[in-house]
Amino acid sequence: MAFEELLNEVGGLGKFQILQMVLALPLVGIAACHILLENFTAAIPGHRCWVYILDNATGILSPDLLLRISIPLDSNLQPEKCRRFLHPQWQLLHVNGTFPNVTDLDTEPCVDGWVYDHSLFSSTVVTEWDLVCDHQSQKSVVQFVFMAGMQLGAFIYGHLSDRFGRKLILRCSLLQFAISGTCTAFAPTFLIYCLLRFWSGCSAVAIITNNWMLIAEWTRSQSKAMVIMLITCAVSIGQMMLGGLAFVFREWRTLQLVVSVPFFVFSFSSRWLVESARWLIITNKIDEGLRELKKVARRNEMKNAEETLNMEGLRATMQQELEGAQTKTTVFDLFRTPNLRKRTCLLLFVRFAVTVPLYGISMNLQHFGSNIFLFQVIFGALTTLARCLALVILNYKGRRPTQMLFLFLVGLSILANTFVPQEMQTLRVTLASVGISCVAAAVTSYCVHCDELMPTLLRAKAFGLDAMVSRYGSALAPLLMTLVVYLPTLPWIFYGVFPIIAGLVVPFQPETRNMPLSDTIQDICDMKITHI
């Protein structure tokens, strides 16, 4: 709480904070594009087996007739995607309007490759390396690789940020992200592509979390809920932007390049960011912390504050924090006391449970229809509105009721969608829109609650652990889609059940609306849990 006094003195929400957000929020938005990039760069187009008589020969027969004698039909009377007739079935030329039983006819896999429908995408990772039929699960592997990179990055860069500072690690991550993303556009093999995407994932999480901490640690407590909402809205705006860019750039290498090159510019412009004075003071870099406070006071035009800020006053104000900084804390301190251990475990479970459906829906837009460009933009717009709505409900109803409401709506909308036939596209898209909107609102509500539940001395470490668990959920989401081989609705059942269970455990957390932030572990131990 002592740092709040210094922050209010230099300006807790002034020109500096606004300019900082103007610079940082675009980074978050474009970094979010990469999280869902495989929706477009790894989209699975329509495809069928390559057949010589159909694709390399000329004759008097029309393509439709050649297709009839070359490719068998599936249960929906559509050409098979993964098999072809062993020999041309000339007798099928005489079929007119009726389809005889052809199950006894000899077929074979696509031994000569596939022909793809390029009407939607000129090329994707799938068409480049034939990730269809027996290799279709490798698309989920591609998505998993990026999420696994984010998981490792959360662990490594979270530790490095606490040790070397938010700004330094952010600048390094921006340069790494620019290099890895640009190189991905020129990947010659599928293995190299996966390795580069893994590397990009490591730096993507550092960009988002370090921007988050820099903005939050320079903002007064009364405005943090609004700031967190703006950061999460930047993610949604990034989704909308991705839909528009993917519509314009239909070739996957070009799209990859377009969303990667700007980070070279961001890496250069990040030099104007200001390091967190809170972190500098807590790590005993008091001279640097005082210099940054004066810089912020000057930018916020708080002339009196710049004159009165001095080393003696700072030490007197931050005496308790400076004493606490002498004792090194670790992530294990989050589990040492019963109250804090309970908070941490419940928070991590809710984070995991809400992340699984978030990425389950976001990464599988093709499941809801063919116009995935429009869906991406619509979902981005809806989640932006939902996050703003969450802020209003958070302020009037509290943290726990808001989370419970949106978590239950997420689960119910997803489970209801499993019973809707594929032909009812309007209803399916409506339910999916409700689901993605509510899950975005649930994430925003969770982030505000998490920030208020963790003590200041452990908040950065808690965010690092939270990011790791989030990556477990985001990595599991694409892997669950491999269960469609057993039951098409099985992944969606998991996506729907997780948030409902999470909604049931939220009431076991304390309500934090209109309560001061905790600074120490002892504050957590002394707090009496309130009920709804």
Side-chain angles (χ1 to χ4, degrees):
M1 294 298 291
F3 186 78
E4 291 292 321
E5 299 176 17
L6 294 173
L7 194 56
N8 288 330
E9 191 174 347
V10 302
L13 189 63
K15 290 182 179 179
F16 163 75
Q17 284 82 2
I18 294 173
L19 290 173
Q20 187 184 42
M21 285 188 285
V22 169
L23 180 61
L25 293 182
L27 301 182
V28 176
I30 301 182
C33 289
H34 283 260
I35 299 176
L36 303 178
L37 195 58
E38 267 80 22
N39 271 342
F40 304 97
T41 60
I44 303 176
H47 56 277
R48 60 168 176 79
C49 294
W50 186 92
V51 181
Y52 179 83
I53 193 175
L54 177 60
D55 299 301
N56 199 42
T58 58
I60 60 173
L61 294 179
S62 67
D64 290 340
L65 292 177
L66 290 174
L67 181 66
R68 178 185 297 183
I69 66 175
S70 304
I71 305 294
L73 301 180
D74 59 19
S75 58
N76 296 320
L77 300 181
Q78 297 297 318
E80 280 277 4
K81 296 180 179 180
C82 300
R83 299 194 70 82
R84 67 182 186 181
F85 288 126
L86 187 60
H87 303 289
Q89 303 300 313
W90 299 104
Q91 71 276 14
L92 296 180
L93 289 176
H94 306 292
V95 176
N96 186 19
T98 60
F99 296 90
N101 184 7
V102 295
T103 56
D104 295 332
L105 300 178
D106 293 333
T107 62
E108 63 179 354
C110 302
V111 294
D112 294 319
W114 290 263
V115 174
Y116 296 99
D117 178 10
H118 295 290
S119 61
L120 202 57
F121 297 98
S122 58
S123 73
T124 70
V125 172
V126 172
T127 64
E128 178 124 357
W129 290 298
D130 291 330
L131 307 182
V132 292
C133 298
D134 292 341
H135 304 287
Q136 185 168 341
S137 61
Q138 291 188 31
K139 177 192 172 179
S140 297
V141 172
V142 170
Q143 294 171 322
F144 169 77
V145 162
F146 185 83
M147 295 304 172
M150 293 188 73
Q151 178 183 334
L152 180 63
F155 176 76
I156 295 176
Y157 289 113
H159 173 73
L160 294 177
S161 295
D162 276 342
R163 183 172 181 181
F164 298 107
R166 284 63 163 124
K167 180 180 176 180
L168 175 63
I169 300 304
L170 174 59
R171 296 195 67 189
C172 293
S173 299
L174 287 169
L175 182 59
Q176 174 185 323
F177 199 55
I179 295 173
S180 60
T182 302
C183 290
T184 302
F186 302 97
T189 66
F190 180 64
L191 177 59
I192 294 177
Y193 173 84
C194 290
L195 291 175
L196 289 170
R197 286 295 287 164
F198 179 84
W199 190 23
S200 293
C202 290
S203 49
V205 67
I207 291 171
I208 295 174
T209 56
N210 279 274
N211 268 301
W212 183 306
M213 286 188 289
L214 272 178
I215 295 175
E217 291 176 358
W218 275 115
T219 306
R220 63 189 183 190
S221 296
Q222 302 95 312
S223 305
K224 279 187 178 178
M226 180 190 68
V227 166
I228 292 174
M229 182 271 293
L230 288 175
I231 295 172
T232 55
C233 281
V235 175
S236 297
I237 293 172
Q239 294 179 19
M240 296 172 61
M241 184 168 54
L242 175 61
L245 290 173
F247 181 80
V248 175
F249 303 102
R250 305 294 184 96
E251 202 273 330
W252 79 267
R253 293 183 185 273
T254 305
L255 178 60
Q256 176 74 43
L257 202 61
V258 166
V259 296
S260 299
V261 170
F263 283 93
F264 286 106
V265 179
F266 292 143
S267 177
F268 176 77
S269 63
S270 63
R271 59 185 298 194
W272 288 291
L273 290 173
V274 177
E275 181 58 273
S276 168
R278 184 190 296 268
W279 174 82
L280 290 169
I281 294 171
I282 289 296
T283 54
N284 284 318
K285 297 180 175 65
I286 304 176
D287 292 335
E288 296 177 41
L290 182 61
R291 185 167 62 248
E292 299 297 85
L293 285 169
K294 288 183 177 181
K295 185 185 298 183
V296 171
R298 186 164 55 252
R299 293 185 181 179
N300 283 335
E301 299 179 357
M302 307 287 285
K303 298 180 180 179
N304 293 334
E306 188 177 353
E307 295 172 358
T308 58
L309 280 173
N310 54 66
M311 185 63 66
E312 293 74 17
L314 189 150
R315 288 185 179 276
T317 303
M318 299 290 293
Q319 181 179 358
Q320 183 179 352
E321 283 74 8
L322 291 172
E323 291 175 355
Q326 303 303 318
T327 303
K328 299 299 182 182
T329 58
T330 68
V331 71
F332 297 106
D333 290 312
L334 292 167
F335 302 93
R336 294 196 188 280
T337 61
N339 276 358
L340 189 54
R341 180 167 59 247
K342 179 181 178 181
R343 287 189 182 193
T344 303
C345 292
L346 291 178
L347 279 172
L348 294 180
F349 175 77
V350 174
R351 179 59 159 176
F352 175 83
V354 75
T355 303
V356 172
L358 171 63
Y359 288 97
I361 299 175
S362 300
M363 290 181 168
N364 293 282
L365 296 184
Q366 281 188 301
H367 182 78
F368 303 106
S370 58
N371 196 341
I372 61 175
F373 308 106
L374 181 60
F375 291 164
Q376 185 74 62
V377 174
I378 291 175
F379 285 179
L382 289 175
T383 53
T384 302
L385 294 175
R387 295 181 198 278
C388 297
L389 176 63
L391 177 65
V392 175
I393 302 178
L394 281 168
N395 289 333
Y396 283 94
K397 294 296 183 181
R399 288 23 175 170
R400 292 186 300 182
T402 305
Q403 286 186 80
M404 291 173 63
L405 169 66
F406 288 117
L407 286 169
F408 286 144
L409 288 176
V410 171
L412 293 175
S413 62
I414 293 176
L415 291 177
N417 219 347
T418 61
F419 299 101
V420 179
Q422 290 284 347
E423 296 75 21
M424 302 177 65
Q425 282 298 310
T426 301
L427 181 56
R428 290 181 62 81
V429 173
T430 300
L431 288 172
S433 300
V434 172
I436 196 67
S437 301
C438 291
V439 77
V443 169
T444 299
S445 306
Y446 166 85
C447 290
V448 173
H449 203 199
C450 178
D451 185 70
E452 295 173 344
L453 284 172
M454 289 294 106
T456 299
L457 291 177
L458 291 170
R459 190 167 291 125
K461 292 178 175 61
F463 282 163
L465 189 61
D466 173 84
M468 282 188 62
V469 172
S470 173
R471 294 316 108 200
Y472 281 117
S474 58
L476 177 64
L479 289 184
L480 286 175
M481 288 307 297
T482 61
L483 298 177
V484 295
V485 298
Y486 303 105
L487 181 66
T489 59
L490 191 56
W492 300 99
I493 292 174
F494 278 107
Y495 295 154
V497 169
F498 274 124
I500 291 176
I501 297 176
L504 296 175
V505 306
V506 168
F508 294 99
Q509 293 279 39
E511 178 59 61
T512 57
R513 180 170 67 108
N514 296 328
M515 295 183 64
L517 293 177
S518 301
D519 287 324
T520 65
I521 297 177
Q522 189 60 41
D523 291 340
I524 302 294
C525 297
D526 296 339
M527 182 178 290
K528 182 178 180 181
I529 296 180
T530 59
H531 299 279
I532 297 176

